[in-house]
Amino acid sequence: MSLDVEQLVAGVRGPVLLPGSAEYERERAGFQTGFRHRPAVAVGATRAGDVRAAVRFAAERGLPVAVQSTGHGIVTAQDGEGVLITTRRMKAVTVDAGARTVRAEAGVQWGEVIERTAPHGLAPVSGSAPHIGVVGYLLGGGIGLLGRQTGYASDHVHAFDIVTADGALRRVTAGSDPDLFWALRGGGGNFGAVTAVETALVPVARLYGGGLRFAADSPADVLRAYRDWTLTLPEELTSSIGLMTCPRSPAFPEPLRGRYAAHVRIAFTGPADEGERLVAPLRALGPRVTDTVREMPYAEAGTIYQDPHVPHAYFGGNVLLRELDPDVLRTVADLAGPGAAVPCALDVRHLGGAFARRPPEPGAVGGRDAAYMLRVMTGGTAAPSTAARPVHQRVYDALKQWTVGRSPNSVYHDGAPVLPEQVRELFAAEDFERLRRVKTRHDPHNLFRFTHNIPPVDGG
């Protein structure tokens, strides 16, 4: 596609890049390396004015718009058309310690927020990885590190600054536009281009947390032991377990390289001695290869999960479960464990607690009655997703009886178009129709294309 971009170049401070240059390739790159946008033009926004200019340029020409910060959650990539707005240069962070709020621009990552809030004894309702983008995480709901105590991260948002399809920059709050504010808190980002967000902070300066790694030669038994343990926990303890065959890499302890292993991640805001008592049953499961559970400042919370920070390819999804039935865990382990047809990583996150409580002004987050989220992931390049897709689906089919929804934050398709029924699964039926009405009001021509696109009422 050939575009006359002189008007766009004149209207933005950041770079405007066309295919064929090294700068273009770097601009479209993100954390997800298996599937990348290949737009007709990429705009490196440095401010809200750049975003407005890019949106107006696209709208005048009927070009679809995608927005990318860190590029963790890309699903349906632009392929030779459209405008990609990258926000990674928009890095302003403003903390109001007295009001316990933080305002972060669209390129900010959680680690950058934590660095600014920790000196005040405050913490954001952040996720497990410090290199995750703030805005994308909040638009998807946000299953946080302390979520059983704090609830969904999007429930803590006070305001969004957003450029809508008409090119206007709006500050959206519960009072200014309750429907759009509701949709943005968990409904995804295809209602406009968010340039900044204001969200609440919580008074957390330290926690007792870390990870336990051990061999999982009998993964079904390990899953069942973890499930039974979670039934005994207070809301102040949020945890998860991951199971996978560890790569033969220095990033993993030598005794576990090439072996199937479990990694239990723990974040507890209560006293350390109480945390020791609560974690003791896990330590009794067997010999631990690593045990990093300790008292720590919240500033070090990013070390708990040890999420990979090097860009790579991955494909996967999740289901929200009202119960983790012990009898089906062996089936799950057989389908996606060490004997699976393709390598899989299983991840179970304990929900309940504050996740299940509806705040006075809830957003579009669905599946609040879920007690667990189970994810299945496969890494590599784009090609293995073809083989992985049916393996993952067999796990979800086995869990269908207990499934109450899916989390938008943890659905990573394989570059293929996302089907309408896959988007509908993310929301309650009445919420999906409400989201379509909001989309119709603010983006009737479907200018913005997000990970899980919600079409306008007249858009199919």
Side-chain angles (χ1 to χ4, degrees):
M1 177 182 291
S2 176
L3 289 176
D4 179 2
V5 297
E6 289 185 7
Q7 176 187 350
L8 184 58
V9 170
V12 303
R13 293 179 182 173
V16 176
L17 302 166
L18 298 175
S21 69
E23 291 83 2
Y24 169 90
E25 295 300 324
R26 286 193 292 269
E27 196 66 31
R28 73 187 184 98
F31 190 81
Q32 164 64 278
T33 63
F35 321 104
R36 286 177 169 169
H37 290 293
R38 190 163 54 85
V41 58
V43 178
T46 64
R47 56 179 182 142
D50 290 357
V51 177
R52 293 184 68 187
V55 170
R56 287 173 175 170
F57 175 86
E60 289 169 359
R61 293 158 178 79
L63 301 175
V65 174
V67 183
Q68 176 174 294
S69 174
T70 63
H72 275 73
I74 180 175
V75 172
T76 304
Q78 292 178 322
D79 188 12
E81 64 174 12
V83 177
L84 173 65
I85 302 173
T86 61
T87 62
R88 67 188 65 159
R89 296 171 180 81
M90 300 175 65
K91 288 289 194 179
V93 178
T94 305
V95 177
D96 186 333
R100 292 183 180 174
T101 61
V102 62
R103 181 182 185 275
E105 286 192 325
V108 175
Q109 299 175 11
W110 281 119
E112 296 164 323
V113 174
I114 293 170
E115 183 179 346
R116 298 287 299 276
T117 60
H120 302 285
L122 299 171
V125 186
S126 53
S128 61
H131 53 281
I132 289 287
V134 170
V135 167
Y137 178 83
L138 293 172
L139 290 172
I143 294 178
L145 188 71
L146 306 176
R148 280 175 44 78
Q149 183 174 355
T150 61
Y152 282 94
S154 59
D155 290 337
H156 296 260
V157 174
H158 291 176
F160 293 94
D161 293 347
I162 182 173
V163 176
T164 44
D166 58 1
L169 176 63
R170 309 170 189 271
R171 179 173 170 82
V172 178
T173 67
S176 70
D177 192 329
D179 278 345
L180 182 56
F181 185 63
W182 169 85
L184 291 170
R185 290 181 301 144
N190 72 326
F191 305 98
V194 174
T195 61
V197 62
E198 179 185 314
T199 188
L201 302 170
V202 293
V204 175
R206 45 69 57 194
L207 51 80
Y208 175 79
L212 307 173
R213 288 188 188 272
F214 49 89
D217 297 326
S218 179
D221 293 339
V222 171
L223 282 171
R224 183 162 187 162
Y226 173 76
R227 177 259 185 193
D228 292 346
W229 176 70
T230 61
L231 301 178
T232 69
L233 301 178
E235 293 183 3
E236 292 78 13
L237 198 157
T238 304
S239 70
S240 70
I241 183 171
L243 297 102
M244 62 181 289
T245 299
C246 297
R248 298 185 182 278
S249 161
F252 291 85
E254 195 279 332
L256 293 181
R257 294 174 196 169
R259 293 191 65 183
Y260 198 76
H263 186 202
V264 182
R265 293 73 62 109
I266 295 154
F268 177 57
T269 58
D273 57 351
E274 177 65 5
E276 289 279 338
R277 185 188 67 80
L278 291 169
V279 174
L282 290 179
R283 288 183 165 132
L285 288 178
R288 301 177 304 282
V289 175
T290 61
D291 185 341
T292 64
V293 184
R294 69 191 195 286
E295 180 85 0
M296 66 172 67
Y298 193 84
E300 297 179 12
T303 66
I304 293 175
Y305 274 69
Q306 299 180 0
D307 288 314
H309 62 274
V310 177
H312 61 283
Y314 46 90
F315 159 66
N318 73 89
V319 285
L320 298 171
L321 305 170
R322 65 171 178 271
E323 182 182 350
L324 197 60
D325 188 276
D327 294 331
V328 80
L329 291 176
R330 189 162 301 280
T331 300
V332 170
D334 289 343
L335 290 171
V342 297
C344 294
L346 285 170
D347 183 85
V348 177
R349 306 209 173 193
H350 185 204
L351 306 181
F355 284 120
R357 291 195 288 274
R358 294 177 66 85
E361 295 177 350
V365 172
R368 288 181 184 265
D369 53 340
Y372 300 90
M373 177 176 73
L374 185 143
R375 299 193 305 169
V376 189
M377 304 284 289
T378 294
T381 62
S385 65
T386 303
R389 193 184 306 120
V391 175
H392 294 194
Q393 189 58 50
R394 284 193 285 272
V395 176
Y396 304 143
D397 289 344
L399 295 164
K400 190 172 184 178
Q401 178 180 343
W402 300 274
T403 297
V404 297
R406 297 178 189 260
S407 168
N409 283 131
S410 297
V411 176
Y412 310 107
H413 289 288
D414 56 359
V418 181
L419 301 176
E421 56 265 29
Q422 293 174 308
V423 181
R424 288 177 181 272
E425 289 177 345
L426 300 173
F427 307 100
E430 61 273 21
D431 288 345
F432 181 77
E433 294 307 318
R434 184 180 177 185
L435 288 167
R436 291 193 68 188
R437 293 194 295 271
V438 175
K439 175 73 169 178
T440 303
R441 176 184 169 194
H442 292 283
D443 185 14
H445 302 297
N446 200 23
L447 183 73
F448 293 98
R449 308 293 171 85
F450 189 61
T451 300
H452 318 293
N453 200 56
I454 296 169
V457 170
D458 294 329

